[in-house]
Amino acid sequence: MVHLSDHSWMILKSRSQQFHAPPVVCARRRRMLLYGGELYLFSALWASTSLEQDLTSSSFNQSAFVPNCGPIPYEDAMLRAYVSPSDAILLSLPPFVRFPSVATGSRFPTLVSVVLRNWSEYYSWRGLGSPQDQPDSSPLAILLHWPLTIYQILASVLPKNYPQTILSVCAKRTLVVHIVGAEHELSLLPVFKELDYLIRPELQIRLFFIGTYIDPSVNKRIFHLSSRLSAVTWNGVYHQFLQSGLSHADFPDVIIGFNVGLAAYSSWVPTLKKISELAVPCYFTDACLYSCAWGYRVTSSLGLGSTVYQPDVTNVLDENEGSGEHAPLLNPFRSPIRMRSAGVRWGWFRNAFIFAPLRPALSPSLSFTDAVPHTATDLSSKLALLQM
């Protein structure tokens, strides 16, 4: 376990308060951009239908997905999505390297189809490199950290405190994930097709991208990425989305917010309250520990969190429970590219940390600790990686 002394934590906090404001202001200016308007460039990778049309039925029309028969537009779309011709070819094919399967080897139900603990194992499984390679600096990791973060939550974090959710999803054979505050990830929608291989094949998958910066041209659309994987877009804040006539089939099993910055935007307050009322598993990610600490503080001040994250007196990272409720988890599938932030010296990486600051909606009745293997990794070395 690693602890920060009172003196070092106060210095860290004072420097962050001094220099944190300018990046937030810059981020707000950048976020005037709209996301998803360029998805037409990848139209050969999916079929698209209207959300209003689909709301008239009780469930998604998965048969609307019709694979494009023309190889040239499909290849062109794959190249636009992944740039590298060799990587585009490999990612257009199913995995051909045998890896341990959670679904067949576990005593407990699971939502994922394979056991992957880090980028190296993922690259080996996908045939993108050998175990001796160092794929963390590969351009593909810059794109794929979005779906792999979802995988990490479903495979390793959700079983720790919400085993009932896994049982429920397996029973109804449908997984609904609401992605709140969606921005950059929507423009990279093709990479979420990777979930087709990462999640158990018998499950229908529905992703909802809800955010205030979604381009009107793709608002309220359903993108059928495969015969079982759909992505829905909706422009607006999440608590308004929930008031728009959500059908029972669309009720979320898991809510995820990428790089949220809960303390930076007042619009999160009503959304957090509404999420708490839903009593649904909810996980957020952020780029640095300081933002995570403020996320815990926000939910605690609203009476929605069970604890205040205090790394000066408790663990800096959650290395024991693995739930993210009391301290952030270091995401092994974070982006490998360090983000520049004026005035601070620690590393910022997209989706670097996973945390669950809202009070747990359910009390776990059983543990899935044995379902997902863990590796004993020195915490100091993990923190050192973020400073590189």
Side-chain angles (χ1 to χ4, degrees):
M1 295 184 294
V2 174
H3 301 276
L4 293 179
S5 66
D6 293 341
H7 178 67
S8 60
W9 176 247
M10 289 302 296
I11 293 177
L12 185 65
K13 185 162 62 173
S14 63
R15 288 180 178 175
S16 301
Q17 291 172 341
Q18 180 180 0
F19 296 108
H20 194 64
V24 171
V25 173
C26 293
R28 286 176 175 170
R29 291 174 181 170
R30 288 196 301 269
R31 290 185 178 186
M32 295 305 293
L33 298 173
L34 298 178
Y35 299 95
E38 65 282 1
L39 289 181
Y40 70 92
L41 297 172
F42 315 113
S43 58
L45 302 181
W46 50 60
S48 176
T49 58
S50 169
L51 179 59
E52 284 89 350
Q53 177 184 355
D54 215 86
L55 285 176
T56 59
S57 62
S58 59
S59 62
F60 280 94
N61 180 17
Q62 294 289 355
S63 61
F65 174 76
V66 179
N68 192 297
C69 297
I72 296 179
Y74 181 85
E75 292 176 359
D76 180 69
M78 287 295 293
L79 285 174
R80 290 177 183 272
Y82 297 107
V83 182
S84 167
S86 59
D87 291 338
I89 293 173
L90 286 172
L91 290 174
S92 66
L93 302 172
F96 54 88
V97 178
R98 295 184 63 86
F99 250 68
S101 172
V102 177
T104 58
S106 172
R107 294 181 293 140
F108 300 104
T110 180
L111 302 181
V112 299
S113 59
V114 64
V115 180
L116 301 170
R117 294 169 294 185
N118 49 51
W119 280 119
S120 295
E121 291 189 355
Y122 169 78
Y123 271 67
S124 297
W125 173 65
R126 266 325 235 129
L128 300 171
S130 65
Q132 290 74 32
D133 295 335
Q134 295 182 351
D136 293 35
S137 60
S138 168
L140 276 181
I142 304 173
L143 303 175
L144 293 171
H145 67 90
W146 303 101
L148 268 295
T149 295
I150 294 179
Y151 165 84
Q152 177 67 13
I153 291 173
L154 298 178
S156 300
V157 188
L158 184 67
K160 300 297 174 56
N161 47 3
Y162 294 101
Q164 298 96 329
T165 297
I166 297 177
L167 295 173
S168 173
V169 170
C170 291
K172 64 189 179 74
R173 303 173 75 87
T174 300
L175 172 65
V176 180
V177 179
H178 286 186
I179 300 173
V180 297
E183 292 184 354
H184 303 274
E185 57 269 28
L186 179 59
S187 296
L188 300 172
L189 187 59
V191 304
F192 288 90
K193 290 172 66 70
E194 195 67 8
L195 293 174
D196 226 352
Y197 305 121
L198 293 166
I199 295 177
R200 291 176 59 167
E202 67 270 23
L203 297 178
Q204 296 290 318
I205 310 166
R206 302 173 186 168
L207 305 177
F208 284 75
F209 292 83
I210 303 104
T212 56
Y213 296 96
I214 293 178
D215 193 281
S217 65
V218 296
N219 185 32
K220 297 182 180 179
R221 302 293 300 177
I222 304 175
F223 296 90
H224 302 269
L225 279 65
S226 75
S227 59
R228 72 182 186 112
L229 173 60
S230 296
V232 181
T233 58
W234 199 89
N235 186 308
V237 291
Y238 187 59
H239 54 278
Q240 293 176 345
F241 166 76
L242 294 175
Q243 299 169 358
S244 64
L246 194 67
S247 70
H248 178 73
D250 302 333
F251 191 82
D253 299 301
V254 181
I255 299 172
I256 296 175
F258 293 121
N259 306 300
V260 288
L262 296 181
Y265 305 98
S266 59
S267 59
W268 276 115
V269 173
T271 290
L272 291 172
K273 292 180 178 179
K274 183 59 66 173
I275 291 176
S276 180
E277 294 174 4
L278 293 178
V280 170
C282 180
Y283 300 95
F284 298 118
T285 72
D286 227 316
C288 68
L289 284 171
Y290 180 75
S291 294
C292 295
W294 274 103
Y296 284 105
R297 181 168 297 184
V298 168
T299 57
S300 179
S301 66
L302 295 173
L304 306 176
S306 58
T307 184
V308 175
Y309 173 53
Q310 296 178 319
D312 51 335
V313 296
T314 59
N315 292 344
V316 175
L317 293 178
D318 182 353
E319 287 291 295
N320 299 319
E321 296 180 356
S323 65
E325 294 176 14
H326 305 290
L329 297 157
L330 185 60
N331 180 15
F333 295 106
R334 62 191 176 275
S335 170
I337 300 300
R338 180 173 180 171
M339 301 165 57
R340 290 187 175 273
S341 180
V344 294
R345 301 185 65 180
W346 63 75
W348 282 34
F349 299 83
R350 282 198 172 99
N351 295 322
F353 301 97
I354 300 170
F355 64 113
L358 292 173
R359 185 178 294 109
L362 301 171
S363 299
S365 58
L366 69 159
S367 173
F368 283 2
T369 304
D370 298 331
V372 181
H374 303 277
T375 55
T377 307
D378 181 66
L379 180 57
S380 299
S381 63
K382 288 185 176 181
L383 291 175
L385 286 174
L386 295 179
Q387 310 304 321
M388 296 176 61

